[in-house]
Amino acid sequence: MAVRVEHPLCARLYVRQSEQAERLGLSERRAELLAGLSGRVLEVGAGNGLNFGHYPAAVTELIAVEPEPHLREHAERTALEAAVPITVVDAVAEELPFPDAAFDAAVASLMLCSVTDVPAALAELHRVLRPAGELRFFEHVASSHPAWRTLQRAADATVWPRLSGGCHLARDTDALIEAAGFAIERCERFTFRIPPVDPPKTHVLGIARRVQAPGSRPVA
């Protein structure tokens, strides 16, 4: 693996914070994200496995990628209790160890904010999805309010990624998904925060479909 991802403190804080986030409503958002999936599915950045309990029975196999050791240990334990067969893999989104067109669908959930190279990660997801395969995405993105977006970008350029395990507040992830050769079919925006210290974040939740090679002209 070309990149080693290890954030011992942030990973432990995330596990604790994520439990609170579930109680505040993220559990319902995860269920919405994964509803209707079927076949062989890839989840990148699986974290501590909080999505696992929401996968429908029509998913015949789930491969869950998580490079951070502490989070991966949690994911492996969570996978044992899931209703669908899950294999947890140590890999990074920018270099997925799978052949082309290997999956019917892919899931990116609260992880594209922290990958080192978003276009590379999306190119890999495009590569491993079959033609017309679905990408389900649930991410926080740059605010639509100019003043707040400016503050987010300032934080991203200074201390925030160092304090939060590589997280970035102001990425235009939905635009990057489209640029990578996906057509967004549904996208909902909402604001969510975990009080008292988490800043309000704009989230997007939706479905995109693999329609073309990155950089090529749209399919007619």
Side-chain angles (χ1 to χ4, degrees):
M1 200 171 70
V3 179
R4 182 173 180 83
V5 177
E6 195 163 2
H7 302 292
L9 178 59
C10 285
R12 285 162 173 79
L13 290 173
Y14 176 80
V15 170
R16 295 179 61 183
Q17 190 181 50
S18 66
E19 294 171 354
Q20 182 183 1
E22 295 301 286
R23 294 191 296 270
L24 292 173
L26 279 199
S27 179
E28 289 81 1
R29 293 293 185 175
R30 293 179 190 278
E32 180 184 353
L33 171 72
L34 304 174
L37 283 175
S38 62
R40 191 169 192 243
V41 178
L42 170 69
E43 181 177 344
V44 290
N48 50 339
L50 291 179
N51 282 335
F52 293 172
H54 297 288
Y55 279 96
V59 172
T60 57
E61 181 185 16
L62 174 65
I63 305 297
V65 168
E66 176 50 56
E68 208 291 320
H70 182 72
L71 294 178
R72 190 169 61 252
E73 288 177 8
H74 278 267
E76 289 168 346
R77 291 195 292 270
T78 305
L80 298 175
E81 303 172 358
V84 301
I86 300 174
T87 302
V88 180
V89 176
D90 179 9
V92 293
E94 298 94 331
E95 295 183 21
L96 295 173
F98 311 113
D100 296 356
F103 297 94
D104 299 301
V107 176
S109 174
L110 301 175
M111 51 74 60
L112 289 173
C113 61
S114 58
V115 298
T116 302
D117 188 336
V118 180
L122 289 169
E124 280 290 87
L125 286 168
H126 190 281
R127 179 184 66 80
V128 302
L129 274 173
R130 63 169 174 77
E134 284 187 353
L135 172 64
R136 301 290 184 96
F137 60 93
F138 174 23
E139 300 288 342
H140 67 81
V141 297
S143 173
S144 59
H145 300 287
W148 186 243
R149 186 167 61 247
T150 298
L151 289 174
Q152 288 178 322
R153 288 174 175 166
D156 283 352
T158 53
V159 299
W160 185 255
R162 298 176 187 176
L163 295 175
S164 58
C167 174
H168 292 74
L169 297 169
R171 286 179 169 171
D172 293 317
T173 304
D174 43 351
L176 291 168
I177 288 171
E178 290 186 309
F182 294 91
I184 294 179
E185 298 181 342
R186 178 171 67 84
C187 185
E188 177 187 0
R189 287 179 176 262
F190 60 95
T191 300
F192 184 84
R193 69 182 295 257
I194 306 169
V197 296
D198 189 43
K201 300 188 185 84
T202 299
H203 288 69
V204 291
L205 188 154
I207 301 173
R209 195 168 298 276
R210 182 191 190 274
V211 293
Q212 64 195 66
S216 67
R217 297 181 63 184
V219 176

